[in-house]
Amino acid sequence: MTEDVVVDMIREALWMVVSCAAPMLLVSLIVGLIVSIFQTVTSIQEQTLTFVPKLLAIFLVLVLCGSWIFGNMNNYTTTLWQDFSRYIR
């Protein structure tokens, strides 16, 4: 296995992590920003107020995008196992 193959494997793995985590992170960021603006406008300084909306939003994203995330991870894992003979040379 050459260095180029290792670099490509790491690059693909990092891209998989970013693409699978991005929907949940973006939704969490947006919901957190909206709740923070709401807290600022209403002067409510409760620290736990952001937890429940973020939790519900991330759960909703997982319900909506879960099959897409699982499909991407499944394709990546299948590709890794199919190219295994190339890696051990």
Side-chain angles (χ1 to χ4, degrees), residues 20-29 58 61-62 69:
C20 288
M24 292 170 284
L25 291 174
L26 289 174
V27 167
S28 177
L29 175 76
I58 290 174
V61 168
L62 280 175
I69 292 170

Side-chain angles (χ1 to χ4, degrees), residues 39-59:
Q39 283 181 322
T40 302
V41 169
T42 60
S43 298
I44 298 173
Q45 297 302 322
E46 180 63 34
Q47 296 295 327
T48 59
L49 185 62
T50 61
F51 180 73
V52 174
K54 280 185 185 180
L55 187 67
L56 293 175
I58 290 174
F59 179 72

Side-chain angles (χ1 to χ4, degrees), residues 62-77:
L62 280 175
V63 167
L64 295 175
C65 297
S67 62
W68 175 77
I69 292 170
F70 179 73
N72 281 349
M73 291 174 62
N74 190 18
N75 289 338
Y76 178 72
T77 305

